[in-house]
Structure formats: C-alpha cells, structure tokens
Amino acid sequence: MSDTSSRRRVYARRASVFGGFVALLGTLVLSGPAAEASPPTPPSAATARTQLASLTVKAEGSSDGYSRDKFPHWITQSGACNTREEVLKRDGENVQTDSSCAATSGTWYSEYDGETWSASGDVDIDHVVPLSEAWKSGANSWTTAQRQSFANDLTHSQLIAVTDNVNQSKGDQDPAEWLPSRTAYHCMYARMWVSVKYTYKLTLDSAEKSALSGILNGC
C-alpha cells in the first residue's frame, strides 16, 4: 500500500469518528436535559428533622397589613415566560406553549390528590408555605424585594402545580390544619415545608411543629 493511500484511509477514519462525535453532540444539544417534572427535591427526612429542631417556635403573628400584593407574582423569569408558566412547563408532561409562553397542551399530575389534568386552567401553582403564613411567620418585616423572591422561588421546593380547588381548599393553613389528601405525599410535603421555612428563617407555632415532627418521624 502506498503512503498516499494509507494517509487517505487514516484521514477517512478520523473524519468518520469526528462526524460521529458531531452528530452525538448535536443530539445532546437538541434534546437537552430531561424535564424535571417536579419541584426541586428538598433535603432528606433526617435533615428536615434537624432543620425543624433549629427553627424558632413562636405564636403565629397577626395578619394585620397582609396583602398578596405585597408578594409581587408572577414575575417574568425568562423571555415571555413568567413564574407560573415556568412551573407549568416544569411540572407537566409534554407541555406545549405558544409564542407568549402560555401552555396550550400537556398533562399535569397533582401530587396532592393524585388527579391528572389536561387543561392548564385546572391547575394552580401552590405556594407550599402560603404567602399569608409567611407573613405571620416573619415575612411582614421583609422588604418587598425579599417577598417577591419568596413568592417566585424556583430554586427551592416552594412552588408546585396542583389541582386548583385543592389549592384553594388549603388556603393559608399550615400542616397542623391541612395536609394533602394523598397520604403517600405527606412525607415529601413536610420535607418541602420545613426546607422553605428553614431557608427563609421563618418561625413556626407549636402545633405546626408537632404535626411536622409526627410526619417526619414516620418517614
């Protein structure tokens, strides 16, 4: 075999390998990471128990002066998408959106009650620790900017897409007063609640702590 022919074969092999690498890279870039389809995972039950023990126990404060307007939401997160729309995309399956980022199709499984919905209008975005609860637990002393960050937090387990009337029945109740009807989710819910209160240094009342302790001890 001539040197020229040998070099051509080497170059051909290199080109083939490089082409395969480019194709693989293209696939990875186009497909992107898999959808998370749930809120960020909170710390383990063991960590949650430790965090719960460190929280300040204090009688729930007054709702005087509270208004949802003092927790600006839903703010723009990226492009045309606001926080609600981002959570709908994150928590749903096969979610399609229009040019304004509104969900036009998809399905949403509600962890609170085990129901699945195909219309985004049947889904609410729940603040795991309700805004009013946060206000009565220390957020009344925050700046508006801090309350805005809390109300639109995509980094922690504070926002989740659930059945709308279930969210409405929860209102501003804490775990001593309300828990998801789907008992299999109680442990996760308690972990999420404690994680948020711990992250934002919010207080909790004695009944709330007792309820959370009971759940976490059974996880």
Side-chain angles (χ1 to χ4, degrees):
M1 181 185 299
S2 69
D3 289 345
T4 299
S5 177
S6 177
R7 283 194 296 272
R8 285 174 178 168
R9 291 194 176 189
V10 170
Y11 293 154
R13 284 197 299 272
R14 289 176 177 172
S16 176
V17 170
F18 181 73
F21 172 75
V22 170
L24 175 60
L25 180 62
T27 300
L28 291 173
V29 170
L30 289 174
S31 62
E36 187 176 346
S38 63
T41 304
S44 67
T47 299
R49 286 192 289 270
T50 300
Q51 292 178 341
L52 179 61
S54 74
L55 292 174
T56 299
V57 178
K58 183 179 179 181
E60 194 170 82
S62 170
S63 60
D64 289 351
Y66 168 73
S67 167
R68 288 178 66 84
D69 293 340
K70 293 184 177 180
F71 293 79
H73 64 288
W74 305 111
I75 64 170
T76 299
Q77 291 286 348
S78 63
C81 302
N82 66 27
T83 308
R84 171 182 163 81
E85 292 157 348
E86 290 288 0
V87 176
L88 286 174
K89 289 193 296 180
R90 182 196 69 191
D91 290 4
E93 295 289 339
N94 302 314
V95 178
Q96 301 296 315
T97 59
D98 61 21
S99 59
S100 64
C101 203
T104 56
S105 63
T107 58
W108 291 268
Y109 175 75
S110 171
E111 293 282 7
Y112 287 2
D113 58 340
E115 296 292 336
T116 299
W117 304 96
S118 57
S120 62
D122 291 324
V123 178
D124 275 359
I125 307 305
D126 179 44
H127 288 97
V128 172
V129 174
L131 304 183
S132 175
E133 166 69 21
W135 177 269
K136 293 178 287 188
S137 303
N140 60 320
S141 66
W142 294 353
T143 65
T144 299
Q146 288 173 316
R147 289 192 286 265
Q148 176 176 291
S149 294
F150 177 83
N152 298 276
D153 188 355
L154 296 172
T155 303
H156 303 95
S157 51
Q158 164 66 340
L159 300 172
I160 183 172
V162 297
T163 303
D164 55 0
N165 60 359
V166 171
N167 179 52
Q168 291 154 23
S169 72
K170 171 185 171 179
D172 65 354
Q173 299 176 92
D174 68 35
E177 304 160 319
W178 185 95
L179 287 168
S181 61
R182 184 168 161 257
T183 56
Y185 203 66
H186 286 187
C187 184
M188 178 63 76
Y189 185 77
R191 288 164 55 196
M192 293 164 72
W193 183 284
V194 172
S195 174
V196 172
K197 285 229 160 175
Y198 179 81
T199 297
Y200 286 93
K201 297 179 174 58
L202 295 170
T203 62
L204 73 170
D205 62 47
S206 57
E208 178 186 351
K209 181 174 182 177
S210 178
L212 290 165
S213 294
I215 297 168
L216 293 172
N217 287 337
C219 291

